[in-house]
Amino acid sequence: MHPATAVLPHDHDHDHDHDGEHDHGHGHSHGLIDDSIKRSREGVRAVSVSLAVLGLATVLQALIFAASGSIALLADLIHNGGDALTAVPLGIAFILRSKRAEGHAGLAVVAAIFISAAVAGGEAINRLVNPSTPTALWALALAGVIGYAGNWIAAKVRTRAGRRLSSPALIADGDHARADAYVSLSVILSAVVVAIGAPIADPLIGLAITVVILRITLQSWRTVRGG
């Protein structure tokens, strides 16, 4: 055989069996890499959407708080703001495509929930000591609706993505937001009770919100540790 036409032996027996995955069409398996990139993008998308939704809700609630001075609303918006910011460590974890980073992000979520509870509780106690009647009650009720809607949307986005991606941190954050949606309804209750002449109910509702947040903290901790 002429040297120019000689076929040199070629060993195409590559070992690309990653976790049992093998692409029989090309002898190469990129499934693990592709799934990792897809998971990262979907995770980042979920936390970005929830950050935008809760961020907007928090800004609107803050504007209404400036007009009403409601401690129940303050507790809710502090918590919603902290909840929105939990998207930051979760987003970083998904960008890094690291399960360990997701675990750390889950712990950051729990810490943020606890800190928001502490701040809200402190403000409620201060208002009990130094009473003040909330104003702009219609706007206050609207703030409760805004908080409910923002948290419900964020919960749907986080929980669905968390289940698809098997991410305990995202699932914990979704459960947290879902509970927060009902907590926000207490702001509407505060507006109603103050309107009928019981302004002391506002800081008491703020304290009740604090207790609920602490319960959510414990539940989220168990979810993250269990994952």
Side-chain angles (χ1 to χ4, degrees):
M1 181 179 292
H2 193 280
T5 61
V7 177
L8 297 178
H10 178 64
D11 183 6
H12 200 66
D13 185 20
H14 298 291
D15 181 13
H16 290 292
D17 187 17
H18 298 293
D19 296 334
E21 294 181 10
H22 188 75
D23 185 340
H24 297 288
H26 300 285
H28 297 274
S29 174
H30 301 290
L32 182 61
I33 297 175
D34 292 343
D35 286 346
S36 177
I37 293 173
K38 181 180 178 181
R39 185 177 190 277
S40 173
R41 290 174 178 172
E42 187 171 354
V44 170
R45 186 182 304 115
V47 297
S48 296
V49 171
S50 64
L51 172 61
V53 170
L54 284 175
L56 177 60
T58 301
V59 169
L60 293 175
Q61 285 188 318
L63 293 174
I64 295 174
F65 169 72
S68 71
S70 167
I71 289 299
L73 175 56
L74 178 61
D76 195 41
L77 77 87
I78 287 174
H79 190 41
N80 288 337
D83 191 16
L85 292 178
T86 61
V88 176
L90 279 172
I92 293 173
F94 281 112
I95 289 172
L96 294 175
R97 299 200 291 275
S98 167
K99 274 286 189 179
R100 178 177 296 179
E102 280 185 50
H104 292 322
L107 295 177
V109 168
V110 174
I113 301 171
F114 177 76
I115 291 171
S116 66
V119 173
E123 289 297 327
I125 292 172
N126 179 63
R127 183 58 62 88
L128 285 172
V129 175
N130 302 291
S132 178
T133 302
T135 57
L137 299 183
W138 282 108
L140 179 58
L142 176 61
V145 174
I146 292 171
Y148 176 84
N151 278 295
W152 189 257
I153 294 171
K156 288 289 187 182
V157 171
R158 290 171 174 177
T159 302
R160 287 175 180 174
R163 288 172 179 167
R164 283 196 304 268
L165 303 177
S166 298
S167 171
L170 259 183
I171 293 172
D173 225 14
D175 291 342
H176 167 208
R178 184 173 294 102
D180 285 350
Y182 295 105
V183 169
S184 291
L185 293 180
S186 64
V187 176
I188 301 176
L189 175 62
S190 178
V192 172
V193 175
V194 171
I196 63 177
I200 191 64
D202 183 62
L204 291 176
I205 290 174
L207 280 177
I209 291 175
T210 300
V211 172
V212 172
I213 297 172
L214 288 173
R215 182 170 179 271
I216 294 169
T217 303
L218 180 59
Q219 292 174 337
S220 298
W221 167 259
R222 288 173 176 169
T223 300
V224 170
R225 295 298 295 174

